[in-house]
Amino acid sequence: MVNPILRGIDVPVEDIEELIFNFSDDEGSPPDIGGRTESHSPRAEAHLTALSSREISLPASSPSLPPSSPSPEPAVTPQPTSSPSRSPPVGSATQSGFASSPSFPPPTPPTEPAATPQPTSSPLRSPPVRSATQSGFASTTMNDSGSFAHGHHDNPQAVNYNFHGDRLVTGSSDHHLKVWNKQGPGQWQLVDTWRGHDAEIMEVKWTGPFMSEVVASIGEDHKFKVWEEDPTEALNSGRRFKCIYSQQTKFRVPYVSLDIKSYKFETYIALISRDGYLSLLEPTEPDSFGNWKEIDQFFVCTPPDRGEEAGFRVSFNHDPLPCYNAIAAGLDKNALSLAVAAMDTVKVYRATKLPDKDYQLYLAAELTGHGGLIRDVSWADGSVRGTDLIASACKDGFIRIFEITTPVPSDPNTTPQGHASQPAGGSTSDGSSSSTGARNAPSGIGAGLAGAFRTDGAMHRSEEYGCKVKHTWKLVAAMNAHDGAVWRVKFSRLRGEILASGGDDGITRLWKRAMTGEWVELAELNAE
């Protein structure tokens, strides 16, 4: 069975020691975080104790009559009224009208109100709200190995830090999402738990940091959802995160991967479903995530047959600008860059935006040579290095790192638009993996697209959509340290100097490029 953490990892450089999560307690049962209790609150307990111990006493006789009473009225014996919960008022003779107090029956002790049992929580029910004086939130502390109990009732499938590394969101097969805030070294506060989807949650991501932080998620219920936090709702109420947008897949197959790119006031989301249908979205209003529009969509390859195992993943280049060599070669500095794992090939797409038109993706390169389905793909930050790095996780047990370069045209009289990509290539005859990129399809969508699968009216894109710059690529590393298939790879942020990988062996491995250019194993983190 696949270790759950290795199917959902994220790598903030600041908190590298918190990569591993203990996804089950020692006894194999989910911990009770924020569970209900049968006892009364401290204030209610104090009130009941005071009632049960209070002594009600009556005077033995009334005070004597005042001497100035002329011919007093004959004494009238009133009928005493008894109260089960309080004694009758005691007054003077002139107030009560009788000389001596009649004998009253002993007071009945107050009846203790019956405690109302709290309903037991369902496995899929959100934790109850508790006041700030009691705790205000459920918190957990990391153990010596740097892990903590997640509190889900099934395996977590997705884990993602926000940009600053101080917030964490987890998505699980129990259909629920959890958001955690970092309170200090090894201390995490559970902010809320809520039912996000009607099926297994496949992936979840934060936006930000330039716009407000929202959470995007996809599930096996064929839906993509956007969640916005409402700080006016109580912690752990199950209502703190509101769904502000929901979208269903076009062909009734579930989404399997999403990624988000945010820069200043621009936010883009890439989605891909199990049939290989890619969607590129942006909000209709830059300051609101309540409505989104599709600006490009197509099949990245021929859809797999029903029942056939599929492998599709997406990863943006999160740098604000492309690498400077690509810009020097003619690529628009505002171009979007997207890597897509399409079965056994990684496809690199570029997109530029012309006036009064949306972004249009075109195929810039195809990274071939994999020995099985690709489980994950990651595009490294660090455009200042002048080249792009893309890592893939493959079912054949290998982690592959590709270096993509964009040569500057040598002919000064040739415009950048005149440089189309070279024909696709794979491994050479001697087994090396140096190759050139793929020729752009005449439609601008990519050579992997079959015309029968274009559902946008087979739109024919001309060469004006983006610069067709020349790309070359080579395989710079292939590591097979994992014992079995590799499920996830992720470059560290900002500079992309560290690569984390996880596989069937239950171990998270960290890799770094040495001075010689070789990628070597930096650390090994075992969840056990």
Side-chain angles (χ1 to χ4, degrees):
M1 177 172 177
V2 179
N3 191 309
I5 177 56
L6 304 181
R7 300 188 65 180
I9 60 176
D10 198 7
V11 191
V13 177
E14 301 85 350
D15 299 286
I16 202 68
E17 73 277 3
E18 295 171 8
L19 258 172
I20 301 182
F21 295 88
N22 180 14
F23 286 108
S24 62
D25 59 6
D26 294 338
E27 299 176 358
S29 59
D32 182 14
I33 296 180
R36 299 182 183 270
T37 176
E38 298 294 338
S39 61
H40 299 285
S41 65
R43 183 175 179 183
E45 289 287 354
H47 179 63
L48 293 176
T49 302
L51 286 178
S52 61
S53 63
R54 185 171 62 186
E55 295 182 359
I56 304 176
S57 59
L58 294 175
S61 60
S62 298
S64 58
L65 293 172
S68 58
S69 299
S71 39
E73 295 289 332
V76 179
T77 304
Q79 297 295 326
T81 59
S82 61
S83 172
S85 60
R86 63 180 181 178
S87 58
V90 180
S92 65
T94 56
Q95 294 172 331
S96 61
F98 49 86
S100 62
S101 299
S103 59
F104 286 88
T108 304
T111 303
E112 183 174 344
T116 305
Q118 300 293 331
T120 57
S121 59
S122 167
L124 298 181
R125 186 176 298 169
S126 301
V129 182
R130 292 185 291 175
S131 65
T133 57
Q134 293 173 330
S135 71
F137 56 84
S139 62
T140 185
T141 304
M142 285 188 173
N143 57 27
D144 294 338
S145 65
S147 61
F148 67 88
H150 54 77
H152 285 287
H153 295 278
D154 208 333
N155 291 336
Q157 297 291 333
V159 179
N160 187 242
Y161 286 96
N162 69 344
F163 180 82
H164 302 288
D166 56 2
R167 304 197 83 184
L168 180 70
V169 59
T170 58
S172 170
S173 298
D174 64 3
H175 311 174
H176 280 62
L177 295 163
K178 287 178 180 285
V179 170
W180 309 76
N181 284 351
K182 188 175 183 180
Q183 296 297 103
Q187 293 285 340
W188 288 87
Q189 167 193 348
L190 179 62
V191 177
D192 205 3
T193 302
W194 73 99
R195 186 183 179 94
H197 291 265
D198 296 326
E200 178 180 356
I201 295 174
M202 300 302 298
E203 194 159 14
V204 60
K205 291 287 181 71
W206 289 98
T207 64
F210 303 100
M211 300 295 292
S212 61
E213 288 187 335
V214 300
V215 174
S217 64
I218 56 174
E220 286 281 350
D221 57 356
H222 305 176
K223 291 181 180 178
F224 156 67
K225 294 183 178 182
V226 179
W227 308 88
E228 187 173 50
E229 186 174 10
D230 182 1
T232 63
E233 292 286 356
L235 297 173
N236 294 320
S237 63
R239 302 183 302 272
R240 192 171 176 89
F241 283 81
K242 314 285 188 183
C243 181
I244 59 174
Y245 181 79
S246 179
Q247 172 179 309
Q248 192 162 357
T249 55
K250 182 173 291 187
F251 299 105
R252 303 185 65 83
V253 291
Y255 291 115
V256 293
S257 180
L258 75 91
D259 199 17
I260 304 174
K261 179 173 182 177
S262 298
Y263 178 64
K264 293 184 177 179
F265 298 106
E266 295 183 351
T267 302
Y268 301 95
I269 290 182
L271 297 167
I272 194 166
S273 53
R274 190 167 291 165
D275 56 357
Y277 191 75
L278 177 68
S279 301
L280 184 63
L281 285 70
E282 70 173 351
T284 55
E285 299 293 336
D287 58 347
S288 174
F289 293 149
N291 289 290
W292 296 76
K293 65 176 182 178
E294 288 188 341
I295 57 177
D296 205 0
Q297 59 281 321
F298 52 84
F299 284 97
V300 297
C301 64
T302 303
D305 296 332
R306 182 180 296 273
E308 181 183 357
E309 189 177 10
F312 295 102
R313 299 284 293 179
V314 291
S315 177
F316 275 114
N317 176 13
H318 293 276
D319 278 323
L321 300 175
C323 66
Y324 60 85
N325 279 342
I327 296 176
L331 187 66
D332 186 357
K333 66 178 181 179
N334 295 319
L336 291 177
S337 301
L338 180 67
V340 179
M343 301 300 282
D344 60 352
T345 302
V346 176
K347 299 190 176 186
V348 180
Y349 291 94
R350 302 282 192 179
T352 55
K353 191 173 185 178
L354 298 179
D356 302 326
K357 293 183 180 181
D358 292 328
Y359 276 106
Q360 299 292 317
L361 295 169
Y362 68 90
L363 185 63
E366 287 187 271
L367 313 181
T368 59
H370 296 84
L373 290 177
I374 300 173
R375 298 298 192 188
D376 199 14
V377 63
S378 181
W379 195 315
D381 294 343
S383 58
V384 294
R385 74 171 65 90
T387 59
D388 291 302
L389 291 179
I390 295 177
S392 64
C394 190
K395 187 180 177 180
D396 64 1
F398 278 87
I399 304 160
R400 293 176 172 87
I401 301 178
F402 300 88
E403 184 179 78
I404 300 175
T405 59
T406 312
V408 178
S410 57
D411 185 0
N413 297 322
T414 304
T415 60
Q417 285 81 359
H419 291 275
S421 299
Q422 299 299 314
S427 300
T428 59
S429 58
D430 60 357
S432 64
S433 50
S434 176
S435 176
T436 57
R439 178 181 299 275
N440 297 295
S443 66
I445 298 178
L449 297 181
F453 298 107
R454 287 202 297 269
T455 59
D456 54 1
M459 182 178 63
H460 194 81
R461 297 173 183 170
S462 65
E463 291 296 322
E464 67 177 350
Y465 286 97
C467 301
K468 302 300 188 290
V469 298
K470 180 180 179 180
H471 289 281
T472 61
W473 61 268
K474 65 178 180 179
L475 182 66
V476 296
M479 301 88 73
N480 64 340
H482 289 283
D483 185 14
V486 187
W487 284 93
R488 290 291 180 266
V489 287
K490 181 71 173 179
F491 279 106
S492 59
R493 295 177 181 173
L494 299 181
R495 294 182 298 274
E497 295 179 342
I498 298 176
L499 176 68
S501 63
D504 278 344
D505 56 359
I507 298 176
T508 300
R509 303 179 188 273
L510 304 181
W511 308 85
K512 185 177 177 63
R513 176 180 276 178
M515 296 294 293
T516 59
E518 180 185 5
W519 283 81
V520 297
E521 187 172 350
L522 177 66
E524 183 178 297
L525 307 175
N526 196 324
E528 300 177 357

